[in-house]
């Protein structure tokens, strides 16, 4: 049913972009009930304004904490126009009907992000505004609700193109948007309080999202919720898929742990190539050499600018996505010659504060594994100690195995991945896979470094490594049979260090 807006209540914090709406309100002769700052803004623009105090009989009190919380306001919003008793009560108490509610809440999240004081944050918890939003949305059968400045464009269209008239379907959509605003606002407040409390409850609210081509498989629907553009800029190519996003996240998490010039190649969330080198071209060549077969269709990530020479080398294989912090102009021009090639520019590092996923009809949550083992974390367990170069490779390998699906073993030589065993149900199988991969691509495992994401339950993995000529091992330790592995190493002049940090990844 079409309804025309005759009256409005407006209380907004952000006034940018509202002047056109004010003109439209004036042209339609809509009476606007409003409060202090908004009244001072609208009145000079010629809008027919009435102070809220004129209908409540009360001034703004408690330093502005209470302005609109009054039956004379909420009665006008919530009154059902098809209920005779509601209308009689409005008449009895001289309450005007309100057809439009426009609210823009105090910027709570921005205030928290600014590092403001506790008292300043508390004052940015909107009470009247959030109540007005809920009231207007509840009574959407009769009332139009605009719950944030993101809906100003919707309101302008209603006032100019529709002459202030709305359909029930339109009001329902605006009500849903309003409840999205209010629920997100409350979740943000709850999560801020949770920084100092431990009230049971999981609340994660993301107000923006975009549909993906499909999910993990073509028959599955998928949506990404979040501000992807704040992380990466799209420079070229087709829309990202669900699997693209999974691999992109794995790639950015991996290279984020390295300070040197690194190139990583990701396939199904695991690195199939990784190298740190003085230049991006060298890093690319040695990362690709780690497993040139698996690199086909992978995600390629750098933490340095891509130059033309590197772009031309990368162009020789098929890949899904290339991501880097920047591109030389001639390199980008060259890469964009293929229209479907996805080229991304990373804008900032991932926050990596908390991760969660759905399971068993619920949600499981944990902190991200952001631990990067340093030399200070190492405990030298064998008679022979690793050299400085071997320690460097150990630390490189430990970062890499942290980002590899469990059970995981990686083999490294000169800061280059030469073989990996990923996602195996036994550690010995992961090791055998890593050795096989290294040898199949022409690498000599003699004197390579081995990293394990968890302890060795038996000494069999150490024995297998020794057979392949591997003499340096980095692992968390913690097995009841650690001494068996340590003794074997001592008997065969091998070097083993413990990190004290397990890195399971499922």
């Amino acid at each position: 049913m079409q309804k025309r807006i005759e009256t409005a209540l407006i209380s907004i914090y952000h006034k940018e972009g509202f002047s056109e709406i004010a003109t439209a309100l004036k042209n339609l002769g809509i009476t606007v009930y409003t409060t202090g700052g908004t009244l001072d803004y609208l009145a000079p623009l010629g809008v027919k304004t009435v102070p809220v105090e004129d209908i409540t009989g009360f001034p703004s009190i408690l330093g502005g904490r209470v302005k609109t919380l009054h039956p004379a306001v909420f009665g006008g919003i919530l009154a059902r126009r098809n209920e005779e008793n509601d209308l009689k009560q409005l008449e009895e108490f001289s309450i005007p009907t309100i057809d439009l509610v426009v609210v823009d809440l105090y910027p709570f999240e921005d205030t928290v992000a600014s590092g403001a004081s506790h008292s300043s944050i508390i004052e940015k918890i909107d009470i009247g505004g959030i109540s007005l939003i809920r009231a207007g949305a509840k009574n959407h059968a009769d009332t139009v609700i605009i719950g944030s400045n993101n809906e100003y464009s919707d309101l302008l269209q209603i006032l100019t193109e529709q002459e202030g008239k709305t359909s029930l379907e339109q009001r329902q959509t605006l009500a849903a948007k309003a409840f999205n605003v209010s629920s997100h606002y409350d979740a943000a407040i709850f999560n801020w309080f949770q920084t100092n409390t431990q009230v049971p409850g999981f609340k994660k609210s993301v107000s923006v999202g975009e549909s993906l081509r499909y999910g993990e498989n073509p028959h599955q629907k998928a949506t990404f919720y979040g501000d992807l553009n704040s992380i990466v800029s799209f420079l070229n190519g087709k829309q990202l898929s669900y699997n693209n996003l999974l691999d992109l996240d794995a790639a950015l998490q991996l290279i984020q742990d390295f300070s040197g010039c690194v190139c990583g190649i990701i396939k199904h969330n695991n690195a199939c190539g990784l190298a740190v080198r003085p230049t991006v071209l060298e890093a690319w060549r040695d990362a690709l050499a780690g497993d040139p077969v698996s690199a086909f269709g992978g995600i390629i990530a750098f933490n340095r600018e891509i130059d033309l020479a590197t772009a031309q080398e990368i162009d020789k294989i098929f890949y899904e996505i290339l991501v880097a912090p920047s591109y030389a102009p001639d390199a980008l021009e060259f890469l964009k010659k293929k229209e479907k090639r996805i080229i991304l520019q990373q804008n900032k590092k991932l926050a990596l504060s908390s991760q969660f996923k759905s399971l068993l009809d619920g949600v499981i949550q944990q902190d991200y594994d952001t631990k990067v083992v340093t030399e200070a974390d190492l405990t030298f367990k064998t008679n022979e100690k690793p050299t400085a170069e071997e320690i460097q490779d150990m630390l490189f390998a430990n970062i890499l195995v942290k980002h590899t699906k469990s059970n995981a073993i990686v083999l490294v030589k000169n800061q280059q991945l030469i073989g990996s065993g990923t996602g195996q149900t036994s550690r010995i199988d992961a090791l055998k896979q890593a050795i096989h991969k290294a040898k199949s691509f022409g690498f000599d495992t003699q004197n390579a470094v081995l990293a394990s994401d968890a302890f060795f339950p038996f000494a069999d993995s150490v024995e297998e490594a020794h057979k392949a000529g591997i003499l340096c091992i980095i692992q968390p330790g913690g097995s009841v049979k650690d001494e068996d592995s340590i003794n074997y190493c001592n008997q065969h002049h091998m070097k083993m260090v413990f990190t004290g940090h397990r890195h399971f990844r499922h």
Side-chain angles (χ1 to χ4, degrees), residues 17 101 104 203 218 231 236 240 282 308 368 399 451 462:
V101 176
D104 182 51
K203 291 178 175 60
I231 305 297
N236 193 68
L240 292 173
E282 292 172 281
L308 178 60
Y368 269 99
I399 291 174
V462 178

Side-chain angles (χ1 to χ4, degrees), residues 1-3 140-145 158 162 165-177:
M1 179 180 175
Q2 289 274 325
K3 287 185 176 288
H140 64 269
D142 298 300
T143 306
V144 177
I145 176 63
I158 290 169
Q162 301 171 208
K165 298 175 183 177
T166 60
S167 66
L168 177 59
E169 182 181 14
Q170 193 171 23
R171 294 193 297 277
Q172 285 176 330
T173 299
L174 290 171
K177 290 183 177 181

Side-chain angles (χ1 to χ4, degrees), residues 455-467:
F455 63 65
F456 296 114
F458 308 102
D460 55 352
S461 293
V462 178
E463 295 173 20
E464 193 71 26
H466 180 252
K467 291 177 187 177

Side-chain angles (χ1 to χ4, degrees), residues 387-439:
T387 65
E389 291 77 13
E390 288 168 337
I391 289 175
Q392 188 177 42
D393 269 357
M394 284 179 165
L395 297 177
F396 175 99
N398 200 70
I399 291 174
L400 178 52
V401 83
K402 183 184 89 168
H403 292 277
T404 304
K405 295 291 185 180
S406 301
N407 286 312
I409 296 287
V410 300
L411 304 180
V412 165
K413 220 174 187 182
N414 302 320
Q415 295 195 80
Q416 177 190 19
L417 172 62
I418 66 170
S420 61
T422 64
Q424 298 301 302
T425 52
S426 72
R427 197 150 301 280
I428 187 69
D429 284 344
L431 175 56
K432 288 178 179 178
Q433 183 189 49
I435 294 170
H436 171 75
K437 293 280 278 188
K439 291 183 176 179

Side-chain angles (χ1 to χ4, degrees), residues 21-86:
I21 294 172
T23 300
L25 291 166
K26 173 185 174 183
N27 292 340
L28 291 174
I30 295 172
T31 299
V32 175
Y33 302 98
T34 186
T35 56
T38 307
L39 177 65
D40 294 341
Y41 171 76
L42 291 176
L45 297 176
V47 178
K48 184 181 178 182
T49 56
V50 177
V52 166
E53 292 91 330
D54 286 3
I55 58 173
T56 64
F58 278 87
S60 172
I61 62 173
L62 306 181
R65 281 189 165 196
V66 180
K67 296 189 287 282
T68 58
L69 294 168
H70 194 280
V73 173
F74 282 86
I77 297 170
L78 288 165
R80 292 158 291 188
R81 311 305 197 261
N82 62 347
E83 288 285 337
E84 186 177 347
N85 287 336
D86 285 9

Side-chain angles (χ1 to χ4, degrees), residues 17 53 79 92 97 121 285 296 298 311 328 394 403 421 432 490:
E53 292 91 330
E92 179 183 356
T97 56
I121 292 171
R285 285 173 174 166
F296 181 87
M394 284 179 165
H403 292 277
K432 288 178 179 178
N490 284 331

Side-chain angles (χ1 to χ4, degrees), residues 59-69 106 118-129:
S60 172
I61 62 173
L62 306 181
R65 281 189 165 196
V66 180
K67 296 189 287 282
T68 58
L69 294 168
Y106 293 157
H118 183 275
S119 60
S120 296
I121 292 171
I122 290 294
E123 290 308 311
K124 286 298 184 288
I125 297 177
D126 206 313
I127 303 301

